[in-house]
Amino acid sequence: MKEFKLGKIYQGQLKKGSDIAQGLTKFLKDNKIKAGIIKGIGAVESAKLGYFNQQTKEYEERYFNENMEIVSLTGNISLKNDEPFPHLHAVFSKKDFSLVGGHLLSDTLVYAFEFEIVTFEGQAHIREFDQVIGLFIWND
Ligand code: ZN
Protein backbone atom coordinates (compact mmCIF):
# COMPACT_ATOMS: atom_id res chain seq x y z
CA MET A 1 0.00 0.00 0.00
CA LYS A 2 1.16 3.51 -0.74
CA GLU A 3 -0.12 6.91 0.20
CA PHE A 4 0.06 9.85 -2.16
CA LYS A 5 -0.67 13.53 -2.30
CA LEU A 6 -2.90 14.78 -5.09
CA GLY A 7 -0.96 16.21 -8.03
CA LYS A 8 -2.11 17.88 -11.23
CA ILE A 9 -5.33 16.89 -12.94
CA TYR A 10 -5.39 16.82 -16.74
CA GLN A 11 -8.31 16.65 -19.13
CA GLY A 12 -7.50 15.99 -22.77
CA GLN A 13 -8.29 14.12 -25.95
CA LEU A 14 -6.56 11.93 -28.48
CA LYS A 15 -6.92 12.47 -32.22
CA LYS A 16 -8.95 10.25 -34.56
CA GLY A 17 -6.90 7.27 -35.72
CA SER A 18 -4.42 7.36 -32.86
CA ASP A 19 -3.63 4.32 -30.74
CA ILE A 20 -5.11 4.79 -27.25
CA ALA A 21 -2.49 2.81 -25.30
CA GLN A 22 0.42 4.39 -27.17
CA GLY A 23 -1.10 7.87 -27.01
CA LEU A 24 -1.68 7.69 -23.27
CA THR A 25 1.81 6.27 -22.68
CA LYS A 26 3.33 9.15 -24.65
CA PHE A 27 1.25 11.67 -22.67
CA LEU A 28 2.54 10.17 -19.40
CA LYS A 29 6.17 10.28 -20.57
CA ASP A 30 5.89 13.80 -21.99
CA ASN A 31 4.44 15.05 -18.70
CA LYS A 32 6.65 12.88 -16.44
CA ILE A 33 3.62 11.25 -14.77
CA LYS A 34 4.60 8.17 -12.74
CA ALA A 35 1.53 7.56 -10.56
CA GLY A 36 -2.16 8.25 -10.82
CA ILE A 37 -5.43 7.20 -12.37
CA ILE A 38 -6.87 7.41 -15.87
CA LYS A 39 -10.48 7.58 -17.01
CA GLY A 40 -11.89 7.98 -20.48
CA ILE A 41 -14.95 7.78 -22.72
CA GLY A 42 -15.58 8.17 -26.43
CA ALA A 43 -15.63 5.84 -29.41
CA VAL A 44 -13.18 3.58 -31.24
CA GLU A 45 -12.81 2.59 -34.88
CA SER A 46 -11.50 -0.81 -33.81
CA ALA A 47 -10.16 -2.41 -30.65
CA LYS A 48 -7.87 -5.09 -29.32
CA LEU A 49 -8.53 -6.63 -25.92
CA GLY A 50 -6.76 -9.19 -23.82
CA TYR A 51 -8.06 -11.86 -21.45
CA PHE A 52 -5.48 -13.24 -19.04
CA ASN A 53 -5.88 -17.00 -18.87
CA GLN A 54 -4.93 -17.90 -15.28
CA GLN A 55 -4.40 -21.55 -16.19
CA THR A 56 -1.94 -21.01 -19.06
CA LYS A 57 -0.72 -17.65 -17.66
CA GLU A 58 -0.92 -16.13 -21.10
CA TYR A 59 -2.99 -13.34 -22.58
CA GLU A 60 -5.55 -14.40 -25.13
CA GLU A 61 -6.03 -11.53 -27.56
CA ARG A 62 -9.13 -10.63 -29.53
CA TYR A 63 -9.29 -8.00 -32.26
CA PHE A 64 -12.62 -6.27 -32.87
CA ASN A 65 -12.67 -4.72 -36.33
CA GLU A 66 -15.79 -2.68 -35.70
CA ASN A 67 -16.85 0.77 -34.56
CA MET A 68 -17.81 0.79 -30.88
CA GLU A 69 -18.57 3.18 -28.04
CA ILE A 70 -16.13 3.38 -25.16
CA VAL A 71 -18.58 2.86 -22.32
CA SER A 72 -15.78 3.00 -19.78
CA LEU A 73 -12.03 3.06 -19.87
CA THR A 74 -10.22 2.99 -16.58
CA GLY A 75 -6.65 2.49 -15.53
CA ASN A 76 -3.79 3.16 -13.19
CA ILE A 77 -0.32 4.53 -13.69
CA SER A 78 2.88 3.13 -12.25
CA LEU A 79 6.44 2.36 -13.36
CA LYS A 80 7.49 -0.61 -15.47
CA ASN A 81 11.12 -0.89 -16.58
CA ASP A 82 11.66 2.63 -15.16
CA GLU A 83 9.07 4.08 -17.56
CA PRO A 84 5.55 5.39 -16.86
CA PHE A 85 3.13 2.58 -17.67
CA PRO A 86 -0.67 2.81 -17.96
CA HIS A 87 -2.54 -0.38 -17.03
CA LEU A 88 -5.81 0.00 -18.93
CA HIS A 89 -9.12 -1.86 -18.97
CA ALA A 90 -12.11 -0.98 -21.11
CA VAL A 91 -15.73 -1.85 -21.81
CA PHE A 92 -17.05 -1.21 -25.33
CA SER A 93 -20.60 -1.30 -26.67
CA LYS A 94 -21.46 -2.56 -30.13
CA LYS A 95 -24.12 -1.51 -32.65
CA ASP A 96 -26.51 -4.07 -31.11
CA PHE A 97 -25.77 -2.60 -27.64
CA SER A 98 -23.98 -5.72 -26.43
CA LEU A 99 -20.79 -5.22 -24.46
CA VAL A 100 -17.26 -6.54 -24.70
CA GLY A 101 -14.45 -5.75 -22.35
CA GLY A 102 -11.05 -6.63 -21.04
CA HIS A 103 -7.43 -5.59 -20.78
CA LEU A 104 -6.86 -2.84 -23.35
CA LEU A 105 -4.05 -3.48 -25.82
CA SER A 106 -2.33 -1.51 -28.56
CA ASP A 107 -4.18 -1.41 -31.90
CA THR A 108 -7.24 0.13 -30.27
CA LEU A 109 -7.81 3.12 -32.51
CA VAL A 110 -9.57 6.34 -31.58
CA TYR A 111 -12.63 7.70 -33.31
CA ALA A 112 -13.05 10.25 -30.53
CA PHE A 113 -11.52 9.96 -27.08
CA GLU A 114 -11.77 12.24 -24.05
CA PHE A 115 -9.78 11.46 -20.94
CA GLU A 116 -8.95 12.63 -17.46
CA ILE A 117 -5.69 11.86 -15.69
CA VAL A 118 -5.38 12.47 -11.96
CA THR A 119 -1.72 12.46 -10.97
CA PHE A 120 -0.35 11.37 -7.60
CA GLU A 121 2.76 12.78 -5.93
CA GLY A 122 4.97 10.36 -4.03
CA GLN A 123 6.90 7.15 -4.66
CA ALA A 124 5.23 5.39 -7.57
CA HIS A 125 4.47 1.68 -7.52
CA ILE A 126 6.96 -0.40 -9.51
CA ARG A 127 5.84 -3.35 -11.65
CA GLU A 128 7.94 -6.49 -11.49
CA PHE A 129 7.30 -9.92 -12.93
CA ASP A 130 5.73 -12.27 -10.38
CA GLN A 131 6.49 -15.93 -11.12
CA VAL A 132 3.41 -17.23 -9.27
CA ILE A 133 0.93 -14.79 -10.81
CA GLY A 134 2.60 -14.75 -14.22
CA LEU A 135 2.17 -11.00 -14.60
CA PHE A 136 4.03 -7.76 -13.95
CA ILE A 137 2.40 -6.69 -10.70
CA TRP A 138 3.29 -4.07 -8.07
CA ASN A 139 6.25 -5.16 -5.99
CA ASP A 140 4.82 -3.78 -2.73
ZN1 ZN B 1 -5.12 -5.76 -17.07
Side-chain angles (χ1 to χ4, degrees):
M1 211 270 283
K2 288 184 181 291
E3 195 175 316
F4 296 98
K5 289 221 160 38
L6 188 60
K8 285 185 186 172
I9 301 169
Y10 296 89
Q11 191 171 47
Q13 58 184 329
L14 293 177
K15 287 202 170 77
K16 184 178 183 304
S18 62
D19 181 304
I20 289 183
Q22 288 176 14
L24 289 174
T25 300
K26 183 177 187 312
F27 185 90
L28 299 180
K29 288 179 180 173
D30 289 350
N31 292 283
K32 298 183 167 52
I33 299 166
K34 298 173 178 173
I37 53 179
I38 299 177
K39 284 191 65 66
I41 55 172
V44 293
E45 297 175 339
S46 59
K48 192 154 96 180
L49 293 170
Y51 168 83
F52 187 72
N53 184 321
Q54 296 175 21
Q55 311 310 317
T56 62
K57 301 200 188 313
E58 284 179 5
Y59 272 104
E60 295 172 14
E61 297 183 358
R62 178 85 61 95
Y63 179 67
F64 297 89
N65 188 18
E66 55 194 288
N67 303 156
M68 298 183 288
E69 295 285 325
I70 305 169
V71 176
S72 175
L73 181 148
T74 187
N76 60 45
I77 303 157
S78 55
L79 293 172
K80 184 177 171 186
N81 300 322
D82 283 330
E83 302 271 12
F85 175 78
H87 181 195
L88 303 168
H89 284 193
V91 179
F92 300 105
S93 66
K94 301 183 174 195
K95 194 169 185 297
D96 67 359
F97 291 89
S98 64
L99 303 176
V100 291
H103 180 94
L104 189 89
L105 296 167
S106 264
D107 290 336
T108 298
L109 302 183
V110 170
Y111 182 74
F113 181 60
E114 303 167 345
F115 65 87
E116 286 84 26
I117 294 178
V118 178
T119 69
F120 298 162
E121 289 181 357
Q123 283 297 109
H125 278 288
I126 294 170
R127 288 190 182 280
E128 283 179 359
F129 189 76
D130 184 296
Q131 295 288 350
V132 174
I133 303 295
L135 289 168
F136 283 83
I137 61 171
W138 292 338
N139 69 359
D140 62 354

